[in-house]
Amino acid sequence: MKLLRYGPIGQEKPAALDADGQLRDLSMLLPDITGKQLDPVTLNALDAIDLSRLPAVDQNVRIGCPVAGVGKIICVGLNYADHARESGLEPPPEPVLFMKPACSIVGPNDNVIIPRGSVKTDWEVELGVVIGTAASYVDEADALNYVAGYVVINDVSEREFQLERAGQWDKGKGCDTFSPIGPWLVTRDAVADPHQLNLWLEVNGRRVQDSSTAQFIFGIPKLVSYISQFMTLYPGDIISTGTPPGVGLGQKPAPWYLRPGDTMRLGIAGLGEQQQTLAAWTR
């Protein structure tokens, strides 16, 4: 099942994508798609509905983040061995964690704003894991039972803020609009193996990232279990699982970064595509 939210910013309504690719409005059944709607009972009930009987939605409507009220985004750094090496770092012995705030979240096709003073805004296609059941100190063997589904995330990053301004990575990761998410939340049962998904990203039509989640250093059960040892994961929380090689920081012979007017297009097999235009900060 593919769940999404559509409409103007702050006025999104819940919807689902039917088998023919038509958007169907769910607002007569759900107030929204939040953590409360991601429990297994609700998802199973939604999956049993004949979507063709629900109102169709204009295909040209704006698509928002598929989950409302995300509490936290927990990101995993250096989770692809090749990306660690292109960053000049060794693959970590344990998952590297950092956070992105909710104010960074936008829809999958909304503009990304280059922050004031930025000279090194970068791209990162990532698989997002959406939590459906509260998880605390869970075992790896049970970890996937706490997952509601999967999403595409662009973990936009400002490398100078992240790496050259001292302190934690968060300051280069949490800028407004730096977390485009969607278009859909694809439920766990509809993804045969999240560790065998091709993912890619293009800048101005040039393919710069092209890899597979088969290259994970730490798989999803390990990540869910590991993170749950340090904090409770609540329904609607999202784990962003890391990016493969090909980010601007790692370009050869020299790094290059995003500028106003550039476009990013990215996707993950079975989870949909995003496209963003870069805009200058004007406030």
Side-chain angles (χ1 to χ4, degrees):
M1 183 168 51
K2 297 174 179 175
L3 300 174
L4 64 146
R5 299 168 63 248
Y6 74 94
I9 295 173
Q11 302 176 42
E12 292 91 346
K13 295 181 180 180
L17 195 71
D18 70 17
D20 296 321
Q22 173 64 55
L23 302 185
R24 298 287 179 174
D25 186 278
L26 293 176
S27 58
M28 66 178 62
L29 303 173
L30 300 175
D32 205 342
I33 299 171
T34 69
K36 292 181 179 179
Q37 284 77 44
L38 297 180
D39 66 275
V41 172
T42 300
L43 292 181
N44 288 337
L46 287 173
D47 195 38
I49 293 169
D50 180 359
L51 294 177
S52 67
R53 302 181 64 181
L54 298 177
V57 176
D58 184 346
Q59 298 292 93
N60 296 316
V61 71
R62 173 190 173 269
I63 303 299
C65 174
V67 183
V70 174
K72 55 184 176 290
I73 305 174
I74 309 97
C75 301
V76 183
L78 306 173
N79 197 30
Y80 291 72
D82 287 348
H83 174 55
R85 285 192 289 269
E86 78 171 351
S87 303
L89 301 168
E90 291 297 319
E94 296 186 32
V96 174
L97 304 181
F98 60 93
M99 309 283 280
K100 298 191 81 159
C103 65
S104 68
I105 296 173
V106 291
N109 304 312
D110 292 340
N111 286 350
V112 168
I113 308 301
I114 295 176
R116 183 170 67 179
S118 168
V119 294
K120 296 182 179 180
T121 294
D122 203 347
W123 57 85
E124 293 191 9
V125 60
E126 304 201 6
L127 173 67
V129 178
V130 182
I131 299 300
T133 303
S136 178
Y137 297 105
V138 302
D139 294 331
E140 281 189 48
D142 297 326
L144 287 181
N145 293 325
Y146 295 83
V147 173
Y150 304 97
V151 293
V152 181
I153 297 181
N154 189 352
D155 175 20
V156 185
S157 308
E158 214 297 336
R159 301 303 186 188
E160 182 187 26
F161 298 177
Q162 176 190 357
L163 301 173
E164 302 173 33
R165 298 285 296 272
Q168 302 297 314
W169 286 6
D170 302 57
K171 66 179 71 174
K173 296 284 191 171
C175 302
D176 293 354
T177 76
F178 268 26
S179 299
I181 299 176
W184 318 311
L185 186 162
V186 181
T187 52
R188 177 165 53 92
D189 63 290
V191 178
D193 185 353
H195 302 96
Q196 295 290 333
L197 299 177
N198 293 330
L199 67 171
W200 54 270
L201 184 144
E202 297 174 351
V203 178
N204 299 333
R206 173 182 170 185
R207 182 70 58 100
V208 289
Q209 292 187 280
D210 197 347
S211 188
S212 168
T213 57
Q215 302 302 316
F216 279 158
I217 297 172
F218 305 108
I220 293 167
K222 172 66 175 181
L223 294 177
V224 173
S225 174
Y226 182 85
I227 295 169
S228 78
Q229 311 304 309
F230 301 100
M231 66 193 80
T232 299
L233 294 167
Y234 289 103
D237 286 349
I238 299 175
I239 300 171
S240 197
T241 57
T243 200
V247 299
L249 176 68
Q251 293 296 310
K252 306 299 182 185
W256 54 276
Y257 298 102
L258 298 163
R259 297 290 181 263
D262 287 346
T263 60
M264 296 178 286
R265 192 168 74 92
L266 58 146
I268 301 178
L271 303 187
E273 297 184 7
Q274 305 181 355
Q275 181 166 312
Q276 300 102 29
T277 298
L278 279 293
W281 186 93
T282 57
R283 287 178 291 167

